[in-house]
């Protein structure tokens, strides 16, 4: 489970993170001090703890406005939002933006555990639905100063080049080009997209959906490109590919 904690008070972020770590859940946690930081990062999350009275730090955007911005991103997977607030008067506004629940400061440990448990159950139930499976999602990136959502099924493979990632895309994709380059680390994407994508070489992360053939030294993609297959990755790739095909046939 990927979790974001967005609050302008460092001590509150630390407290919420400590409560999350006490729960029975395998998760990664990223903290943000402002709406600008969250939006600039461009990452997807399963669960977001969001301070309503968030200080924009130069950006005219509190937590409520950030939630509206998140909900306006209908092209990407929507997170479960839990508001953290010092004032109960914001409760009705919270539900207007599809908040799952709210917690009033100071947050009680038992109340937190109850709300977290329900959010976790909600996420687990969503993962069983076909439309929320990994290969249905989009990749959110920052390119040329703007956030962009790219369908995973529009990506043949990703290539690492000089601290940048080059997406090799299908014709007719919204990006309008066969390639799209942006700053990023392929290692981060390898973890994020595990299941539909597999890293066959330190420079290539491929979409298993578009594999047309392979041998011990290369993988042939649906766009005709032949990519080098590391001999250390061969057995892992074959297993991942077989697992993916089996899952597709279910």
């Amino acid at each position: 489970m990927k979790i974001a904690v967005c609050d302008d008070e460092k001590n509150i972020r630390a407290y919420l993170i400590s409560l999350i770590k006490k729960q029975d859940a395998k998760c990664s946690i990223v903290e943000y001090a402002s709406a600008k930081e969250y939006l600039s990062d461009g990452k997807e999350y399963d669960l977001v703890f969001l301070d309503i009275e968030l200080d924009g730090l130069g950006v005219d955007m509190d937590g409520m406005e950030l939630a509206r911005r998140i909900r306006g991103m209908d092209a990407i997977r929507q997170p479960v939002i839990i508001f953290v607030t010092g004032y109960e008067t914001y409760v009705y506004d919270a539900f207007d933006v599809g908040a799952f629940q709210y917690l009033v400061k100071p947050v009680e440990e038992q109340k937190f555990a109850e709300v977290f448990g329900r959010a976790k159950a909600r996420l687990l139930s969503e993962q069983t639905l076909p439309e929320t499976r990994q290969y249905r999602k989009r990749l959110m990136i920052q390119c040329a100063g703007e956030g962009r959502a790219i369908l995973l099924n529009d990506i043949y493979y990703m290539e690492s080049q000089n601290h940048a990632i080059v997406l090799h895309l299908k014709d007719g994709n919204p990006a309008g080009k066969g390639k799209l380059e942006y700053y990023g680390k392929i290692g981060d994407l390898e973890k994020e997209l595990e299941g539909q994508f597999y890293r066959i070489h330190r420079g290539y992360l491929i979409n298993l959906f578009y594999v047309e053939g392979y041998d011990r030294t290369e993988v042939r993609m649906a766009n005709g490109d032949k990519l080098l297959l590391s001999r250390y990755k061969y057995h892992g790739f074959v297993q991942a590919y077989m697992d993916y095909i089996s899952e597709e046939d279910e």
Side-chain angles (χ1 to χ4, degrees):
M1 185 163 31
K2 298 176 183 178
I3 301 176
V5 176
C6 195
D7 195 297
D8 58 329
E9 296 183 64
K10 186 176 182 179
N11 62 321
I12 298 296
R13 296 198 305 273
Y15 178 60
L16 291 175
I17 290 172
S18 71
L19 292 179
I20 293 170
K21 290 180 177 179
K22 290 181 180 181
Q23 310 309 311
D24 181 21
K26 185 178 180 181
C27 57
S28 60
I29 308 168
V30 179
E31 57 181 293
Y32 300 97
S34 69
K36 182 179 180 180
E37 283 187 11
Y38 181 97
L39 293 172
S40 296
D41 208 10
K43 293 181 179 178
E44 285 189 356
Y45 292 99
D46 301 302
L47 177 58
V48 177
F49 288 92
L50 182 55
D51 176 24
I52 292 182
E53 301 86 41
L54 187 66
D55 184 353
L57 297 180
V59 178
D60 186 18
M61 190 183 304
D62 60 10
M64 193 65 68
E65 181 57 35
L66 174 57
R68 292 190 182 96
R69 185 76 65 90
I70 292 171
R71 290 298 183 234
M73 297 175 182
D74 57 0
I76 65 173
R77 178 167 52 92
Q78 287 290 329
V80 169
I81 295 177
I82 296 176
F83 276 119
V84 183
T85 176
Y87 305 96
E88 292 193 45
T89 53
Y90 287 114
V91 171
Y92 295 108
D93 291 334
F95 292 113
D96 285 342
V97 293
F100 177 75
Q101 188 54 275
Y102 70 95
L103 294 166
V104 178
K105 300 177 183 178
V107 178
E108 297 179 359
E109 188 168 338
Q110 182 177 349
K111 179 66 173 179
F112 182 92
E114 292 173 359
V115 172
F116 187 92
R118 281 190 273 124
K120 177 183 173 183
R122 162 87 168 268
L123 289 167
L124 288 174
S125 67
E126 287 180 350
Q127 288 174 5
T128 65
L129 300 174
E131 62 268 23
T132 61
R133 293 175 68 176
Q134 180 71 48
Y135 59 84
R136 299 287 186 182
K137 294 194 300 184
R138 302 181 184 230
L139 176 68
M140 189 68 184
I141 65 173
Q142 289 290 320
C143 182
E146 65 176 5
R148 305 183 73 169
I150 308 295
L151 272 171
L152 294 187
N153 279 349
D154 279 347
I155 304 173
Y156 287 118
Y157 65 94
M158 305 172 185
E159 183 178 4
S160 178
Q161 288 186 0
N162 300 322
H163 305 293
I165 294 173
V166 179
L167 303 181
H168 293 258
L169 303 168
K170 289 176 60 179
D171 292 336
N173 69 85
K177 300 178 181 178
K179 296 181 181 180
L180 184 64
E181 183 175 334
Y182 73 101
Y183 176 78
K185 297 180 180 179
I186 201 167
D188 294 337
L189 290 175
E190 179 182 7
K191 297 175 183 177
E192 179 181 347
L193 303 177
E194 183 180 7
Q196 185 180 351
F197 285 73
Y198 188 82
R199 194 172 182 181
I200 61 170
H201 184 274
R202 65 181 181 180
Y204 299 119
L205 183 65
I206 67 169
N207 190 336
L208 296 171
F209 182 77
Y210 292 114
V211 172
E212 290 210 335
Y214 65 89
D215 56 31
R216 285 188 169 272
T217 60
E218 67 180 22
V219 177
R220 187 175 72 257
M221 304 301 294
N223 66 343
D225 289 354
K226 297 179 179 180
L227 308 178
L228 182 64
L229 171 59
S230 168
R231 63 190 179 96
Y232 300 108
K233 293 282 191 176
Y234 175 75
H235 293 292
F237 160 70
V238 173
Q239 185 62 58
Y241 186 50
M242 293 300 106
D243 290 345
Y244 180 76
I245 291 176
S246 298
E247 186 175 312
E248 285 281 283
D249 291 337
E250 291 179 357

